[in-house]
Amino acid sequence: MADSNASKHLSSINGGNIITDIKNLSSFLKTRRTVTFAYGFMFAFFAFTIFLAFSPSPNSSSPWFTNIFSSSASTSTASSDSSISSYLLPNNTPTTTTTTPQEQDHDFSSLPSQNITRINNTSSETPNSKAEAKVPPSVKNLTQSTVLQPNQTANSSIVIKEPNFANNQTQTAPNSNKGQVLKPNQATVAVPRTTQLAANQSESIPTKSGSFVKKTSGDQEKGDAVKSVASTFTASPSNKQSNVTKQSNETNSGVGVKHGIDDLVNCNFFDGKWVKDDSYPLYKPGSCSLIDEQFNCILNGRPDRDYQKYKWKPKGCTLPRLNPGRMLDLLRGKRLVFVGDSLNRNMWESLVCILKGSVKDQSKVYEVNGRHHFRGEASYSFAFEDYNCTIEFFVSPFLVQEWELPEKDGSKKETLRLDLVGRSSGQYAGADIVVFNTGHWWTHDKTSKGKDYYQEGSHVYDELNVLEAFRKALTTWARWVDANINPMKSLVFFRGYSASHFSGGQWNSGGQCDSEVEPIKNVTYLREYPPKMLVLEKVLRNMKTHVTYLNVTQMTDFRKDGHPSVYRKQNLSPEDRKSTLQFQDCSHWCLPGVPDAWNEILYAELLVNEKQKQQTKKRQ
């Protein structure tokens, strides 16, 4: 009874029976756990918010947590802890950790960019790009494994490449056998085979056979190539060696015919040097019977032959070796005409010899009038029957008319009509290609002195400066070209002054060059540019018709070794050759020789013109 009362007493003290009390206690504990969890969650959220406030994303276009959880699955916990601790304790030195390139990328890109010295900045800047205004540059492809901390400056041994923010932040993914995790808005770009950059960017050049292959270009071409692809991608360094190999293979396979001709378009053919090339000359000495005796130095006994072994090499490109078959194809159904003095005859004979030797049936190459000697007549024409083309020469040393004026005593006075174009002009007005020249005859006594020689209309000048007379004559020629040659049908060239090399006098006063067996190699020994050619250039600039100026003056000035000198006639004894009574020829050129190079330049010009015509047809 006492025990029963005690039990009831205890039960009443605790507010009920034991079972009820236990239930009440459990409910109380649940309520307390809920409150505790709520407070813990609020504290964690508050801490997270504070952390976010002091750690802005390097990419404002994406959520902050994306930058944390987008790292590679291979990232170690120790590395992640080190990275996070660097935010909370920026002056702490992290425990030395071996990291992968991917880990470097993650750790470094999340650092505040304003504290990093940028090296090798290759990003393209686009003022209108929102990405540029908001997104700080991320740093890629480090060459060291140590993770830089805030306020630490990247040293010069670190290679930093910033992504290009143009074109939707397109980048090349780093080379790796593992999968790469790209940042938001970053696209993987496969490097095109044809646009990979290597240490030596290649361009196309012609080969000796007339086809084209690639060659190493200069810094300008490489710079242009880099600019053209920089907005799309940056070549991965690990690919450079393989790219060089690919380019080498492309070179060997002869890739790049199209680009080779393109290289010739912007090349200055006349700024260059002569280089020894044992594959020259273009035709065998003595194989061409039409070469005038005056130019046939080997037949006339010249013992040295190195002067035939030089090729002209412009600085900006390589001229294609003249391919006779290809040039005859370019000339098919056309008339190519040379008009001028005996230096143009030099060039005409050179071209006919080059082309004639490539024709299998020689009976189908002939002088139209049956001539076998090519001096003394006013014109000559070689026909290539299989190609229905002719290569012609018209004698016109001044391009204006030599005249005879009757005197009171019945004699005739020789003058030069500065106002009348050459008499043969009507015969070549409709030619497809015309190559003019003049210059050497303006150095003779009558022309250089200019006394009682130059005539306009019925007026004969008592005295007229040769440069002014030259200007008047060229102006007459230029007006005729503008009025009579159709630029839509015909190509017009003007070959400039060919240098002479008389030493100790002029051609008629003991001038010599027979001891010269090597070209000039130092430009300081070249002569001043002829004033007459400055006059010519001014006239050409004022013409309506486009005239291509073949400025051979400097390239010929190097070649003091290429003249016939004493080897201008056959069957002369050594004593006769050395006789002071013999004139030396230091103006014209031995064939094969220097004029072959002029024709290689002409060939290059025709290739360029053909390419431009094809491009025009495609656009139409």
Side-chain angles (χ1 to χ4, degrees):
M1 187 70 176
D3 293 338
S4 178
N5 291 335
S7 243
K8 290 180 181 179
H9 178 72
L10 289 172
S11 178
S12 63
I13 290 176
N14 293 321
N17 57 41
I18 293 175
I19 294 174
T20 303
D21 290 343
I22 291 173
K23 290 180 179 179
N24 291 339
L25 180 60
S26 175
S27 176
F28 173 79
L29 291 174
K30 286 181 180 178
T31 302
R32 187 161 202 148
R33 184 173 59 187
T34 301
V35 172
T36 302
F37 178 81
Y39 275 99
F41 178 83
M42 291 174 62
F43 177 80
F45 181 81
F46 179 78
F48 181 86
T49 304
I50 293 298
F51 187 53
L52 175 62
F54 287 95
S55 302
S57 169
N59 186 348
S60 60
S61 64
S62 61
W64 174 84
F65 54 79
T66 303
N67 292 327
I68 291 180
F69 299 110
S70 63
S71 60
S72 173
S74 64
T75 305
S76 66
T77 304
S79 176
S80 298
D81 292 341
S82 174
S83 177
I84 294 174
S85 67
S86 68
Y87 291 106
L88 301 178
L89 302 172
N91 295 324
N92 285 358
T93 302
T95 304
T96 302
T97 306
T98 302
T99 60
T100 67
Q102 294 175 357
E103 291 169 345
Q104 293 176 12
D105 181 41
H106 169 67
D107 292 339
F108 207 137
S109 65
S110 60
L111 293 176
S113 61
Q114 62 271 22
N115 295 326
I116 300 171
T117 301
R118 293 186 294 174
I119 305 172
N120 298 332
N121 184 357
T122 59
S123 64
S124 62
E125 299 180 357
T126 308
N128 296 328
S129 172
K130 293 181 180 179
E132 180 181 343
K134 295 181 180 179
V135 184
S138 61
V139 185
K140 308 282 289 179
N141 299 330
L142 302 182
T143 58
Q144 63 180 22
S145 60
T146 304
V147 178
L148 297 184
Q149 301 302 317
N151 302 319
Q152 181 177 352
T153 303
N155 60 39
S156 60
S157 65
I158 300 174
V159 178
I160 300 175
K161 293 185 179 181
E162 299 179 1
N164 190 342
F165 291 118
N167 299 332
N168 298 322
Q169 299 184 359
T170 300
Q171 288 181 231
T172 302
N175 276 346
S176 176
N177 294 328
K178 299 178 181 180
Q180 300 297 321
V181 179
L182 300 178
K183 293 184 178 181
N185 301 324
Q186 180 181 355
T188 303
V189 178
V191 182
R193 179 171 177 268
T194 57
T195 52
Q196 288 175 329
L197 301 181
N200 293 323
Q201 186 72 20
S202 65
E203 67 177 4
S204 301
I205 62 169
T207 64
K208 293 175 182 177
S209 64
S211 60
F212 297 83
V213 296
K214 290 188 176 181
K215 80 175 184 73
T216 301
S217 71
D219 293 338
Q220 181 63 41
E221 287 80 5
K222 287 191 286 185
D224 292 341
V226 171
K227 290 177 183 177
S228 68
V229 296
S231 64
T232 304
F233 69 93
T234 302
S236 175
S238 61
N239 274 341
K240 286 186 178 180
Q241 186 61 43
S242 63
N243 294 342
V244 172
T245 303
K246 287 180 181 179
Q247 291 171 353
S248 176
N249 292 339
E250 289 172 358
T251 299
N252 294 335
S253 64
V255 174
V257 174
K258 177 179 178 181
H259 299 294
I261 298 179
D262 289 341
D263 290 340
L264 297 177
V265 173
N266 298 315
C267 182
N268 179 1
F269 293 154
F270 307 100
D271 181 17
K273 62 181 180 179
W274 293 93
V275 295
K276 199 78 174 288
D277 190 330
D278 288 333
S279 70
Y280 280 71
L282 295 172
Y283 49 100
K284 185 178 179 180
S287 66
C288 187
S289 60
L290 72 92
I291 293 178
D292 184 69
E293 180 187 24
Q294 184 183 6
F295 309 147
N296 206 334
C297 302
I298 296 299
L299 188 63
N300 295 338
R302 180 166 178 168
D304 64 301
R305 300 199 178 193
D306 280 354
Y307 69 91
Q308 302 173 344
K309 300 288 185 180
Y310 287 93
K311 175 182 176 63
W312 178 249
K313 173 67 175 69
K315 292 179 181 178
C317 62
T318 296
L319 289 172
R321 184 184 178 96
L322 198 158
N323 183 328
R326 176 71 175 121
M327 188 162 188
L328 283 169
D329 281 333
L330 293 173
L331 297 176
R332 190 180 295 275
K334 297 178 180 178
R335 292 178 64 201
L336 168 56
V337 174
F338 292 88
V339 182
D341 59 27
S342 54
L343 272 299
N344 247 15
R345 178 161 57 89
N346 224 177
M347 185 177 182
W348 169 72
E349 289 187 9
S350 162
L351 183 59
V352 174
C353 284
I354 293 170
L355 301 183
K356 184 175 181 289
S358 69
V359 177
K360 293 181 179 180
D361 188 349
Q362 290 291 302
S363 67
K364 293 186 176 181
V365 181
Y366 49 86
E367 206 283 324
V368 172
N369 296 306
R371 295 169 180 155
H372 299 282
H373 300 284
F374 306 103
R375 297 183 66 182
E377 301 292 339
S379 65
Y380 304 91
S381 177
F382 261 87
F384 289 77
E385 191 174 298
D386 288 340
Y387 296 88
N388 189 30
C389 71
T390 57
I391 301 177
E392 308 169 36
F393 172 59
F394 288 85
V395 178
S396 184
F398 296 105
L399 298 181
V400 290
Q401 287 188 30
E402 295 175 84
W403 198 259
E404 290 183 339
L405 189 67
E407 295 279 55
K408 293 180 179 179
D409 60 0
S411 62
K412 294 183 179 180
K413 177 184 181 63
E414 291 183 352
T415 61
L416 188 64
R417 291 291 300 267
L418 302 177
D419 56 341
L420 295 178
V421 75
R423 291 184 176 89
S424 59
S425 57
Q427 299 180 54
Y428 53 77
D432 300 279
I433 304 166
V434 190
V435 182
F436 294 96
N437 98 294
T438 189
H440 282 267
W441 283 46
W442 294 86
T443 64
H444 295 176
D445 286 344
K446 287 184 179 180
T447 50
S448 59
K449 293 178 180 178
K451 293 184 178 181
D452 201 28
Y453 180 61
Y454 296 119
Q455 179 179 351
E456 283 187 296
S458 59
H459 175 69
V460 178
Y461 290 90
D462 292 335
E463 186 173 355
L464 184 65
N465 180 274
V466 64
L467 285 180
E468 178 61 14
F470 188 71
R471 184 194 66 79
K472 287 177 177 290
L474 285 181
T475 301
T476 297
W477 165 82
R479 288 172 180 167
W480 178 87
V481 170
D482 284 340
N484 294 274
I485 291 185
N486 180 3
M488 301 301 293
K489 177 184 182 296
S490 303
L491 293 176
V492 182
F493 296 88
F494 198 109
R495 184 184 56 75
Y497 187 80
S498 168
S500 299
H501 294 92
F502 291 100
S503 176
Q506 289 302 311
W507 68 275
N508 57 353
S509 58
Q512 299 178 355
C513 57
D514 59 296
S515 61
E516 305 294 352
V517 293
E518 290 185 347
I520 295 173
K521 296 179 180 178
N522 191 332
V523 295
T524 60
Y525 295 110
L526 299 181
R527 297 174 183 175
E528 185 180 354
Y529 190 63
K532 291 184 183 69
M533 294 301 99
L534 295 175
V535 172
L536 167 65
E537 291 177 15
K538 186 174 181 179
V539 170
L540 295 179
R541 285 194 296 269
N542 292 327
M543 293 179 66
K544 296 178 183 178
T545 306
H546 173 73
V547 176
T548 301
Y549 180 32
L550 303 178
N551 188 0
V552 302
T553 301
Q554 180 171 288
M555 69 180 289
T556 54
D557 202 356
F558 284 105
R559 295 303 307 275
K560 60 185 175 65
D561 61 319
H563 301 290
S565 64
V566 296
Y567 303 103
R568 51 191 292 268
K569 288 185 178 181
Q570 295 184 44
N571 303 321
L572 289 179
S573 66
E575 292 76 16
D576 288 337
R577 288 198 180 97
K578 292 296 182 180
S579 172
T580 56
L581 299 178
Q582 290 291 332
F583 295 135
Q584 289 201 18
D585 185 352
C586 303
S587 294
H588 298 98
W589 304 95
C590 296
L591 292 179
V594 171
D596 302 336
W598 305 346
N599 284 312
E600 286 200 303
I601 293 174
L602 178 63
Y603 173 61
E605 292 282 3
L606 295 180
L607 288 174
V608 169
N609 178 71
E610 183 70 12
K611 174 66 180 298
Q612 292 172 338
K613 284 169 59 178
Q614 292 174 355
Q615 291 176 338
T616 300
K617 288 181 180 179
K618 288 181 180 179
R619 287 194 295 267
Q620 293 175 346

